[in-house]
Amino acid sequence: MVMTSHTTAPADHPVLRVAPASPAAAAAYFGASLAFHADVSDVASALAADGDPGFVVLDSRSTASWDQGHIPGAVHLPTALIPERAGALLDPAVPVVTYCWGPGCDGATRAALALAQLGYQVKEMLGGFEYWAREGFAYETWEGGERRGVDPLTAPVEAADCGC
């Protein structure tokens, strides 16, 4: 049902029980969210373009997870090792995009926090490795390169992008 200015929702409706934020507050919140997060397809597009994407991708998972599959060109640095090894692997002038398994894992968030505390500019890739693979982007394993078909629940099968 489309609500118009002539239609009101019941006050006890669960969606609107807490009123939406003001447009200014919503713009501030969603703008901040984009400063902290990157979309899988946007990361893939930037990495596929000719030239330097302007950021480095960091896989914060274990070695066993890395071997199972990772984004080509990503830096492997498990979260627990960030304080001692980030300086040797990352340029502080280059933004970092972290990822872990997927939306059910907060490893990329913990890695982003550890990097931010060390002074790095950082974003978290929403969807993690799960959505990278589900959206049909190529990945590497300990056995070589792989690519799955696009999951139609996560990305358009026939289109170059989702139009978001």
Side-chain angles (χ1 to χ4, degrees):
M1 174 178 157
V2 174
M3 296 188 65
T4 66
S5 60
H6 303 294
T7 307
T8 58
D12 64 347
H13 190 283
V15 172
L16 299 176
R17 191 167 294 140
V18 174
S22 71
Y29 172 83
F30 293 115
S33 179
L34 292 172
F36 297 112
H37 300 112
D39 179 88
V40 166
S41 61
D42 290 341
V43 171
S45 177
L47 293 175
D50 290 333
D52 180 1
F55 60 88
V56 64
V57 177
L58 185 139
D59 186 316
S60 65
R61 301 171 302 148
S62 69
T63 299
S65 299
W66 167 269
D67 288 346
Q68 200 171 316
H70 59 270
I71 295 173
V75 170
H76 182 226
L77 182 55
T79 302
L81 300 177
I82 288 173
E84 67 187 66
R85 297 193 54 214
L89 296 174
L90 303 170
D91 180 346
V94 177
V96 179
V97 176
T98 64
Y99 75 90
C100 60
W101 274 113
C105 175
D106 65 359
T109 305
R110 287 192 304 269
L113 173 60
L115 290 165
Q117 289 172 332
L118 293 173
Y120 290 88
Q121 292 181 340
V122 63
K123 287 188 173 202
E124 177 183 3
M125 186 177 78
L126 295 177
F129 181 73
E130 176 190 349
Y131 276 73
W132 183 274
R134 289 179 72 186
E135 290 188 25
F137 299 117
Y139 59 93
E140 297 174 345
T141 72
W142 68 274
E143 296 178 310
E146 293 194 30
R147 176 180 240 131
R148 295 180 179 197
V150 174
D151 179 339
L153 295 176
T154 64
V157 176
E158 302 285 333
D161 66 50
C162 68
C164 296

